[in-house]
Amino acid sequence: PADRQSWRVAGFVEAHDATRRKVEWNVASWLDDDREFEENLPADEILVAGGSVLLSPWFGVGDGAQAGIELSGGAPGGDPTFARARVTGRTILPLFAGLRLGAEAAAGHAWGGLPTQYHWFLGGVETLRGYDIGDAAGSTMARARAELTRGTLAIGLALFADAGWASNDADSFDADDALLSGGLGVTFMDGLVRIDVARAFVSPTGWRVHLHLNSLL
């Protein structure tokens, strides 16, 4: 009864069109007058209908070993017709002296006439810290992350590393082409609130600060 389970099956009809950026002011401009939001992705104009499924069981509670898997897929039809599927595995293992090892790996692929906005976009707090969303993108993707965390339920410190790859050619996978990052994070209330400082090691390199909520890793 304490296991966390999530199941979702949905049908949908979607109309997509591109929209231009209209943000003229942002908080970051207080620190840098030249800082602007990037232009929106030039999405394809489409009308599709289809279905999707998400299976996301998570087993284990408290300070013991925890693990979960997430299976998701969707198959819209119309003009164009395409399908996507992704599998994600996660685990958190207690070690010693209050240390915990967390790891996550995911792979996804898409088939058919894939619109621009349905590609896999890697970057940002959910997939590849230290990078902008879309710094790696394509119809096929693979990514992984791992971290060591030490602390209490109230506050903890994490050392992490992320890697990600995406391409429109599934046969072109090469680990040397992956984007890599690493950094330090501080978690509050067992991940309910988290701040990560990440460094991108592969071009485009740079530092980023991520604030996110309800994070298992």
Side-chain angles (χ1 to χ4, degrees), residues 11-133:
F12 59 85
V13 177
E14 296 180 354
H16 292 206
D17 200 355
T19 184
R20 68 179 183 87
R21 173 180 60 82
K22 298 182 179 180
V23 176
E24 302 296 340
W25 177 89
N26 60 83
V27 174
S29 64
W30 290 349
L31 304 176
D32 183 356
D33 291 338
D34 297 327
R35 183 70 179 267
E36 293 184 352
F37 277 34
E38 296 184 5
E39 293 294 336
N40 293 334
L41 180 74
D44 296 330
E45 184 176 351
I46 61 172
L47 176 62
V48 294
S52 65
V53 60
L54 171 69
L55 310 177
S56 184
W58 182 262
F59 306 98
V61 294
D63 296 328
Q66 303 179 37
I69 189 169
E70 182 177 285
L71 304 173
S72 68
D79 186 17
T81 299
F82 58 95
R84 300 198 317 165
R86 186 191 72 232
V87 57
T88 305
R90 305 183 182 97
T91 186
I92 297 177
L93 302 174
L95 299 177
F96 53 87
L99 287 171
R100 291 193 306 174
L101 172 66
E104 179 180 83
H109 186 66
W111 299 264
L114 196 65
T116 301
Q117 58 267 35
Y118 273 98
H119 283 70
W120 303 106
F121 296 95
L122 301 186
V125 67
E126 295 292 335
T127 57
L128 190 58
R129 289 163 288 192
Y131 290 91
D132 273 336
I133 296 174

